[in-house]
């Protein structure tokens, strides 16, 4: 997955919407407006910046309407460096306990594991089998933590989000959709406090 930030004004004179482009192996272009009013454009790797800008310009009225409906987030106190360090240590301890268990169940082998403060992802898996996890997983319930771990380990078998991938996730954690919903509804408030 490739993430880059663009100003649509640079690409299209018809709109002044600031947006972030997230390229991946998906097949379609979609726009997401986050709880903290960021505009994310998710698109296939092959789509050009010009095409993305044109798509944003086409959807400008819809975007501005939904941005206006979003309640500005309340002022929050950012996490301190000491808190983030403590979160990272806690996540590593949880990973040491859970990663081997689920990797064994899935029959997969992972390589390097890193924990970082990330604004856009809870976890990721590289083509080389390296795993990365958000330090804010220290603050989520155990089943949600397990879901993120299982999700990334399943990418070692299926590097996509096709039906076979979700079947592999469901085989280990049948209630994974509840965990996805929790992250969608509650995760934004946790990420909003990142400095």
């Amino acid at each position: 997955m490739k993430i880059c930030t663009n100003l649509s004004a640079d690409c299209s004179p018809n709109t002044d919407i600031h947006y972030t482009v997230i390229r991946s192996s998906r097949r379609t272009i979609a726009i997401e407006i986050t709880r903290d009013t960021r505009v994310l454009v998710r698109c296939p790797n092959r789509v050009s910046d010009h095409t993305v800008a044109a798509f944003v310009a086409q959807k400008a009225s819809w975007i501005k309407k939904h941005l206006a409906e979003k309640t500005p987030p309340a002022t929050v106190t950012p996490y301190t460096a000491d808190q983030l360090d403590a979160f990272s240590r806690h996540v590593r301890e949880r990973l040491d306990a859970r990663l081997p268990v689920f990797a064994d169940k899935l029959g997969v082998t992972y390589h390097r594991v890193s924990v970082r403060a990330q604004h856009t992802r809870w976890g990721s898996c590289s083509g080389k089998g390296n795993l990365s996890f958000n330090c804010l997983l220290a603050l989520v319930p155990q089943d949600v933590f397990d879901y993120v771990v299982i999700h990334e380990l399943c990418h070692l078998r299926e590097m996509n989000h096709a039906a076979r991938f979700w079947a592999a996730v469901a085989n280990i954690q049948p209630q994974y959709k509840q965990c996805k919903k929790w992250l969608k509804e509650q995760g934004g408030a946790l990420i909003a406090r990142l400095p």
Side-chain angles (χ1 to χ4, degrees), residues 93-161:
E93 290 174 1
R94 292 173 83 175
L95 288 172
D96 287 344
R98 306 301 278 170
L99 266 175
V101 173
F102 293 124
D104 184 62
K105 287 184 178 181
L106 287 162
V108 296
T109 302
Y110 54 90
H111 299 292
R112 185 170 56 86
V113 177
S114 61
V115 177
R116 298 192 297 270
Q118 301 181 88
H119 289 81
T120 58
R121 290 182 289 186
W122 291 102
S124 63
C125 174
S126 76
K128 296 181 179 179
N130 297 325
L131 304 176
S132 178
F133 296 95
N134 195 319
C135 71
L136 298 184
L137 288 171
L139 304 175
V140 308
Q142 184 64 52
D143 61 336
V144 176
F145 183 93
D146 288 347
Y147 161 69
V148 176
V149 171
I150 293 165
H151 184 114
E152 300 312 330
L153 286 172
C154 283
H155 277 312
L156 294 171
R157 291 172 53 176
E158 300 285 340
M159 287 297 287
N160 54 57
H161 289 108

Side-chain angles (χ1 to χ4, degrees), residues 143-144 146-148 150 168-177 179:
D143 61 336
V144 176
D146 288 347
Y147 161 69
V148 176
I150 293 165
V169 174
N171 188 50
I172 304 297
Q173 190 183 47
Q175 77 282 12
Y176 77 89
K177 289 183 180 179
C179 300

Side-chain angles (χ1 to χ4, degrees), residues 48-72:
S48 68
D49 289 341
H50 177 75
T51 300
V52 171
F55 186 78
V56 171
Q58 179 185 0
K59 300 294 185 181
S61 296
W62 180 91
I63 294 171
K64 290 179 179 180
K65 175 179 179 290
H66 283 76
L67 284 173
E69 293 173 354
K70 291 282 185 180
T71 303

